[in-house]
Structures are given as structure tokens and as C-alpha cells.
Amino acid sequence: MMHRNPCFCAFLFAWITIVLWADPGLRAQAPATPQNPPDTTRDLKPVHPEDKSKTIVPGAVPQSYALVIGIATYKNLPATAQLHFPGRDAQSIYTTLISEQGGEFPANHVHMLTDSQATLANVSHELDTWLPSVTAPDDRVLIYFAGHGFISGGSGYLAPYDIDLHNIAATAIPMETLGKLIGTKIKGKWKVLITDACHSGAITPETDPKQLNQLLLDVNQSIFSLTASRDREQSFESADWGGGHGIFTYYVVQGLQGAADTNGDGVVTADELAEYVHTNVRDATSSRQNPTSERGSFDPNMLLAFNPDRVRVASQASLNYGTLVVQSNMDDTEFWLDGKKAGMVSKSAALRLPGLAPGSHTIKAVHMGYEPDGPREEMIYPGQESSVSIRILIPRRRTQSAVDLLDQGIEFYKKGFESNYKKAEEKLTQAIALDPNYSEAYMYLGRVENALWQDDKSTAAFQHAIAIDPDYEEARVSYASALLDQGGLDEAVRQLNAALERQSNDGTALYLLSQAYAREGEYASGKKAALRATEVAPGNGEGHFWLAECERHLNEASEAEAEYRLYLRQTNFNSGALGNANYYLVGFLLGMGSKHHAAEQDIWREQQGQANLGICDCEWMQKHYDAAIPFCEKALNLMPADLWANYRLGVIYIEQANAHAQAANTGSLSKDSVTDLLKAARVRFANVLTANPDTDEAGRARQYIARIDAALASHP
């Protein structure tokens, strides 16, 4: 068992006000969007922020926000001081917070910083700027930290990624400052602070009760502070807890997912979580680690989580929990407990799951291509450790006729076009009729139905494939691609993170994840995923395209332009080289998540157009208007009706008209050039109105057209 050493413990637009010839243009840049963490909910269903219809229980808070921080690798600490599991801890907390079997936080209301992202500057920005800017007095706010904690000069500090041990006071996060921010600047009805660090217990008022306790508690709102240990205790982490976690966080997650619900009402309150975590961590560490909370500081009935699956009529209150130790005959076997993935188990490493409520639990083990072991029931007894051996023995056997039908369906699918898709649908449906557990046939059927715009059928097919083989990574990635086509961004993120949990270097899953984040407006998270995509698959142009998209929206114009250009070099071919194939087929190699029929739109042309438009916009951001125009024109050659390309080129022509007007006033240019530019801009703005008259850009285009017409009338 390891401890945390106490010594080292959509499109960016600017509104340009033009007063032609005489008045300069004004530009207001939009701020960069703060980071939103990846969704690693596996098979927990995320909460959608737009879903206002669901009420958890009476008194549920209207909005919830969280900041989750996990730091295992520190920039300035020696190898012996690096940690192992804070990243996994943070991911597990995030998963639990956004799930409908946990905290029910909207996914885009939870920001996560891990390792090199969790610098002092970034953490301070989230605490001092983001949370105060988004929270309201009736909200629920949670802050979680896993990493090193320190005592210096009698004060407690949480250690960011770039802490300097020679100057802790200036490079770490004072717990006193954290208390002030939570108590005075961050708004909320319920405020939760959970810290898993060596000296995190110092955030309780043990060192200076009068001052620190007052800072944390002397506010009208309720604060629940739960810390991993007492002051000067170690906070342990181990591979024995759920495959690798801080012991404290392991029990926090178990508690929030429902294990702490002692009265069976489905609700986990602050009091229930505190008692559950205290009891289990003390028992697991033989009283060497004692989580702390200040009982006078919070409403004991504060709602922290709700799991409807845990609601039961008869209460089975008990503080004596059991442990399940799982062993397997096969490596890389997924183990499921009560319908949720609990971890991976192999021949050489058992999976230990402590903190389980006494009684019957449903277990199942799955491995791709084999019949599962289970589902079956296992009893957990209070205060006891139960062992279970799972056996993956029987390979799935396919009838040759079903295999032949799958192969025929795939061949039709690869040919593209609606007629071939319908033939593929017929063959795959026949294969499934012969073998209802044919997960590959379901996956390809999902792709085919998506190509046919049959969203409900596509979703059902992908879900069948995943239900048969929960570790079917390719099915999850394909499902996510279809969800991106359908606009199901949150669920796409969840499926992609589940796939990446299985294969962390899947370049396709990474660029799709970047696309999902970018389309949600979470560009920092999208950039992170895209950087990983370009690292593991540098030859995949899609990773570079979405990296460019994210960097452009983050106002990193020169970096974005370089990525767009690299994408164009890597995809310097045309769809004619593919013969008659529907380019949507290649979407599963290039352009996944961009569904089109070949007869309506060619994905290659569209993304080439988008890349050229991106370069145009980057040049515009850098005020290189002459350099921008050819790329906007190329974009419009590829996408003539594109609203954004027309709008951007119109704005650039206005910029040039302003510049030429000033030159005309000095006599160095003819006013005819100004007139020509205004007329060209008017054409582009008129195209914006034709493309979609109801957008914000269309509203601005009308204003531009009115001013252009007035200017042309006054200067014939």
C-alpha cells in the first residue's frame, strides 16, 4: 500500500461596426471557453443540461457545478514523490458526478484539470473566476482535489502541478485562501469540498479553529468539507482498491454511487457519506487514516447523490460492509457488478471491491468473442471478504451461413449509395436472425441504418452490439460517430471515453472526442483530445483538422493555421480517386461523425472547404486580409452556399473597403476600388440571407447591406 508522502506529498465571430470610408471598424473578440473534462461514464447515463423535466427528490437544487482536480505527476518533484492514482480518482469522481446513478451534474458544468493542466494559474482561474462567474445562490457546488498536500509555516497547502518546494507559499494553494473563496466568492446553497491529499485534514480548523473555521463556516450557505485524513496523517493509495485508487476516494465514489445510502431512499446525504467514508477508510487502513468532516458546518440532509436503482421499500441499514475479491482465468476481462462496470481483472491480478452493502449482488464477466460468465448472484456478508472465480471458457460459435451473410452485408455497405445500403441491411438482418448474439452484425447494421438516416434503428443496433459485448470498442466508436451525426454530443462523449478506457491510443476515438467537445464549445478539452490524436496517429488528418478548429476558437490563430495546412497536405486527393464509393463509407476512416450521402454532398469537399475557411479566418484574425481572401474563395468554390464562408468574406471585403477609403481620401487609390469592394461584400451578405435568414449572422448581414446601400447611394 502506497501513501501520499507528507514531505512531497459556433465559429468565432467578431462584430465589426462599419461606418464606411470615414469611420474605423471595431472588433470585440470572444473570450476562450474554459475547459470541460472528458466524460468517462462508461455505462452510467450522463445528465443533459437541457433536461428540465426530471426532479430527483423534493428540494433538489436547480443547478450544480463542480471542479475536479487530480495530479499524479508533478513538474518539480522527484520520481519518488510522484503518485499513481489521482488521475483515476479524478476520472471516477467525474463519472459519478455526471451520472444519473450519482450526482446528476450536467456534464458541461463539471470542469476537470489533471496533471500538467492543473497549474497554479489554471486552478486559480477556475476557483477565482469560473466558479464565481457561473454559480448562483441556490446552486450546489463541489470542489474535489486529489494529489499532494503540504504543511509549511504552520499553514496547509494543496499542491498544483508546478509547485516549488523551495517556495511553497507562492506556488501552492493556501487552504485559507480556498476557504475564503468557497465561503465568500463562490455562490451556492450547498457547497462541498472533498480533498484527498496527505495533509488535507489541515483544511479543518485543527490548526487555527477560530480563524479557519470562521472562514469556512461563518456564511449563510451550508458547507460540507470532507477530507482524506487528519492533520499530519498520510493519505494512502493502492492498486487493491477498485484496480487503483486513493483509498479515501474509492469509498467516496462507492458512497456517492449508493453504498452510503443506509435508509434505502436512494438519496445519499452529506451525513450518510461522511459516516460511510469515515468507517470504511478507518477499517481499511487499521485506523492509520481518519477522514475528517466538521459536523456543525453543513446541513446533514444536504443531497449529494441520488441513485434510483438503490431505492428499496425495506431498509437494510448497516455500517458493516463486505468485500468481493474477483479472480479470472483470462486477461483483460471486464467485470460488471450490479449492472455497472467495476473494473478489469486478469489472471495475475485480482480485482478487490471493498465497501459493498451486505446482500445479493449481480455479477457478470465479459470478454470479446466469448460467452460471458454470468449474470449470476453472489452474496456479500457484513464484515467478511468473499472470493469469486470467473471463468471465460466458451468461444462464441458462429454458423457459417450467418458469417457468410455478414460478409455479404459488409461488401454491399462498402459499395455505398442507398441501394447498396438497403441490400446490406437485408443481409445483416438475416445474419442476426440466424444468430441473435452476433455483435459484429449488429454493429454493421448500426452503420448501415445510420447511412440510411434511420436514427432510431441505428441506435438500437449499436446498443444491441454493446449489450452483447460491452468491451466491443469498435462498436462504441461507431455508435459515437452516429451520435455525432444525430447531435447526441453528450452520449457520444460517454461512448468514446468508454472506448478509450479499453484502448487509450485509439486515434479515431480521440479525434471524434475532440470533435464532440469542439461542437459543444468546449475547445480546451477538444484541443487536449486532438493533441493526443495527432500524437498517436500523426498521419490521420482528422486529428489535425479538429486540433485546428479548437485552436482557432481559442484565438490561437497561427497555431491553428499550421494545423489546417497540415490537414490539407495529408488529404490532398479528391473523391474521384475513390471511384463510385459513397464518401460516407470512408467516414469511418476519414470524417466520422459527418454523415452525408454521396449524391448530396461529398465529405472530402466539405472538409476541404472547412479547412480553407479556417485558414481564411485565421488570416483575418491576424488582420492579413489580402492573404485571407484566396482561402475564403477556395472554400466557397468547394461550398458555394456556406453561410459562414460568405459572411467571413463579406466582412473581409468591408475591412478592405475601409482601408481603401482612407487611401482614396489621400488620393493614392481610386474610389472605384472602394465601390467594387462594397458591391462584392453586398453579394456575400445577400448569400448569407439566402443560406439562413434566421441566424445572428443574417441579422448582422442585413445591417451591413443597409449601410452598404446607403453608402453606395451617397457616393454614386
Side-chain angles (χ1 to χ4, degrees):
M1 181 163 57
M2 295 160 283
H3 60 81
R4 295 175 180 172
N5 193 311
C7 297
F8 302 102
C9 271
F11 200 100
L12 177 62
F13 285 106
W15 168 232
I16 303 174
T17 303
I18 49 169
V19 184
L20 307 166
W21 284 296
D23 294 341
L26 302 176
R27 180 178 296 112
Q29 295 285 353
T33 304
Q35 182 182 8
N36 190 43
D39 178 344
T40 54
T41 58
R42 298 174 188 167
D43 281 77
L44 297 175
K45 184 178 179 182
V47 178
H48 295 266
E50 66 273 12
D51 183 4
K52 305 295 185 182
S53 62
K54 181 173 181 180
T55 301
I56 303 173
V57 291
V61 294
Q63 291 288 2
S64 299
Y65 296 88
L67 172 63
V68 177
I69 302 167
I71 311 170
T73 304
Y74 281 84
K75 178 181 179 181
N76 301 318
L77 298 188
T80 54
Q82 306 300 335
L83 301 172
H84 293 81
F85 303 120
R88 284 175 54 90
D89 290 342
Q91 294 282 355
S92 293
I93 290 289
Y94 174 80
T95 296
T96 302
L97 291 181
I98 70 168
S99 75
E100 287 190 348
Q101 296 83 27
E104 299 203 335
F105 285 63
N108 64 348
H109 288 190
V110 184
H111 287 192
M112 183 168 68
L113 300 174
T114 57
D115 291 336
S116 60
Q117 296 174 316
T119 61
L120 178 61
N122 288 345
V123 173
S124 298
H125 172 81
E126 297 291 288
L127 290 170
D128 200 29
T129 303
W130 176 63
L131 280 173
S133 72
V134 296
T135 52
D138 286 333
D139 292 346
R140 174 178 54 167
V141 184
L142 184 143
I143 298 169
Y144 169 85
F145 176 90
H148 276 307
F150 294 90
I151 297 293
S152 178
S155 299
Y157 296 87
L158 298 180
Y161 166 76
D162 49 353
I163 188 173
D164 180 355
L165 293 183
H166 302 292
N167 190 12
I168 290 177
T171 61
I173 304 160
M175 295 179 184
E176 180 179 357
T177 300
L178 182 59
K180 287 181 180 178
L181 289 172
I182 295 174
T184 62
K185 195 168 184 180
I186 297 170
K187 300 173 286 293
K189 172 184 176 182
W190 291 332
K191 301 177 184 179
V192 182
L193 175 63
I194 300 176
T195 49
D196 190 352
C198 321
H199 287 305
S200 60
I203 202 161
T204 58
E206 293 182 17
T207 55
D208 186 354
K210 183 177 180 181
Q211 180 183 6
L212 191 53
N213 192 43
Q214 198 69 23
L215 289 170
L216 288 171
L217 309 179
D218 190 17
V219 290
N220 293 329
Q221 295 82 5
S222 177
I223 296 178
F224 171 45
S225 177
L226 181 62
T227 63
S229 59
R230 293 174 182 162
D231 187 18
R232 302 192 183 280
E233 283 186 342
Q234 297 171 351
S235 177
F236 294 94
E237 60 175 7
S238 172
D240 291 338
W241 274 264
H245 282 291
I247 295 168
F248 167 79
T249 295
Y250 174 82
Y251 284 109
V252 169
V253 169
Q254 291 291 309
L256 289 174
Q257 289 182 353
D261 175 22
T262 57
N263 64 4
D265 63 355
V267 174
V268 176
T269 66
D271 209 29
E272 286 177 324
L273 182 66
E275 186 61 40
Y276 172 81
V277 173
H278 293 165
T279 300
N280 282 279
V281 172
R282 281 199 300 263
D283 290 347
T285 62
S286 301
S287 298
R288 287 181 292 167
Q289 182 175 336
N290 293 271
T292 61
S293 62
E294 175 54 51
R295 289 188 174 274
S297 68
F298 62 88
D299 174 5
N301 295 317
M302 177 191 299
L303 188 154
L304 299 184
F306 176 69
N307 189 339
D309 300 335
R310 294 265 182 167
V311 177
R312 58 187 186 274
V313 176
S315 174
Q316 189 182 354
S318 172
L319 293 179
N320 295 316
Y321 298 89
T323 297
L324 186 64
V325 178
V326 186
Q327 297 175 317
S328 175
N329 68 316
M330 185 174 286
D331 290 334
D332 299 322
T333 299
E334 285 192 359
F335 184 74
W336 292 67
L337 181 69
D338 296 327
K340 294 191 288 289
K341 183 178 174 181
M344 302 292 294
V345 60
S346 61
K347 292 186 290 187
S348 60
L351 178 65
R352 190 169 184 270
L353 300 171
L356 301 181
S360 178
H361 291 263
T362 302
I363 68 167
K364 183 172 76 169
V366 297
H367 195 289
M368 182 68 181
Y370 286 80
E371 297 294 339
D373 182 352
R376 54 191 168 89
E377 301 298 309
E378 288 288 335
M379 288 297 296
I380 300 297
Y381 299 95
Q384 296 186 27
E385 190 171 280
S386 303
S387 296
V388 60
S389 294
I390 55 178
R391 311 293 290 173
I392 303 295
L393 298 171
I394 305 173
R396 285 216 182 92
R397 301 199 191 310
R398 308 291 184 202
T399 63
Q400 189 58 47
S401 55
V403 173
D404 291 343
L405 285 165
L406 172 66
D407 291 341
Q408 293 168 26
I410 293 173
E411 285 304 311
F412 280 121
Y413 169 67
K414 287 182 176 179
K415 292 178 181 179
F417 298 107
E418 183 176 0
S419 60
N420 290 317
Y421 289 148
K422 288 187 177 295
K423 293 175 183 177
E425 179 185 42
E426 179 182 355
K427 297 296 183 182
L428 294 168
T429 301
Q430 292 173 359
I432 290 167
L434 290 174
D435 187 348
N437 289 320
Y438 207 163
S439 56
E440 293 93 336
Y442 272 116
M443 186 202 70
Y444 275 100
L445 182 59
R447 291 183 174 184
V448 167
E449 299 293 5
N450 189 45
L452 290 169
W453 300 85
Q454 298 295 320
D455 292 348
D456 290 343
K457 290 182 178 180
S458 174
T459 295
F462 283 128
Q463 289 178 345
H464 270 105
I466 294 167
I468 295 167
D469 280 313
D471 59 345
Y472 197 173
E473 182 211 357
E474 187 178 5
R476 290 188 182 275
V477 175
S478 296
Y479 183 26
S481 175
L483 288 165
L484 290 174
D485 292 333
Q486 299 165 20
L489 302 181
D490 282 348
E491 182 67 10
V493 169
R494 186 180 74 83
Q495 292 296 333
L496 291 167
N497 276 279
L500 290 166
E501 186 86 9
R502 187 75 181 172
Q503 175 54 262
S504 61
N505 289 334
D506 186 327
T508 300
L510 285 164
Y511 91 66
L512 286 173
L513 184 62
S514 174
Q515 179 187 161
Y517 282 137
R519 287 170 57 182
E520 285 189 317
E522 302 294 343
Y523 302 113
S525 294
K527 178 180 176 179
K528 177 184 175 184
L531 284 169
R532 280 285 296 140
T534 58
E535 177 185 344
V536 302
N540 186 332
E542 294 295 311
H544 295 287
F545 176 84
W546 288 104
L547 177 57
E549 288 284 283
C550 293
E551 288 178 334
R552 177 168 61 87
H553 284 82
L554 292 169
N555 296 328
E556 299 168 2
S558 60
E559 294 87 346
E561 182 172 341
E563 294 296 330
Y564 282 125
R565 291 178 181 273
L566 180 55
Y567 166 77
L568 290 172
R569 289 198 299 273
Q570 290 183 333
T571 58
N572 186 24
F573 56 89
N574 61 53
S575 58
L578 300 172
N580 293 324
N582 180 345
Y583 210 82
Y584 171 64
L585 170 61
V586 187
F588 284 91
L589 302 174
L590 173 72
M592 290 179 74
S594 303
K595 178 176 65 178
H596 294 285
H597 292 292
E600 298 175 44
Q601 183 110 17
D602 184 350
I603 287 178
W604 179 84
R605 289 178 60 84
E606 180 178 344
Q607 291 212 186
Q608 292 282 300
Q610 292 292 343
N612 278 281
L613 175 57
I615 295 175
C616 173
D617 198 52
C618 289
E619 293 287 3
W620 172 79
M621 292 165 67
Q622 299 171 84
K623 300 183 179 181
H624 302 156
Y625 304 128
D626 288 338
I629 289 174
F631 290 100
C632 266
E633 290 175 340
K634 178 71 176 292
L636 285 165
N637 286 335
L638 294 163
M639 313 178 299
D642 188 82
L643 182 151
W644 316 117
N646 277 287
Y647 182 82
R648 174 54 68 234
L649 187 54
V651 170
I652 291 172
Y653 285 150
I654 291 296
E655 296 277 10
Q656 286 199 317
N658 284 334
H660 284 211
Q662 293 177 7
N665 288 336
T666 64
S668 59
L669 274 178
S670 166
K671 288 187 177 181
D672 290 342
S673 65
V674 179
T675 300
D676 291 341
L677 286 166
L678 291 177
K679 290 179 178 179
R682 194 190 192 287
V683 170
R684 294 304 165 192
F685 292 132
N687 289 344
V688 171
L689 299 180
T690 301
N692 189 337
D694 298 323
T695 62
D696 290 342
E697 287 69 36
R700 292 195 285 269
R702 289 187 186 93
Q703 296 180 44
Y704 276 124
I705 289 172
R707 294 179 183 180
I708 290 171
D709 288 346
L712 292 175
S714 63
H715 294 79

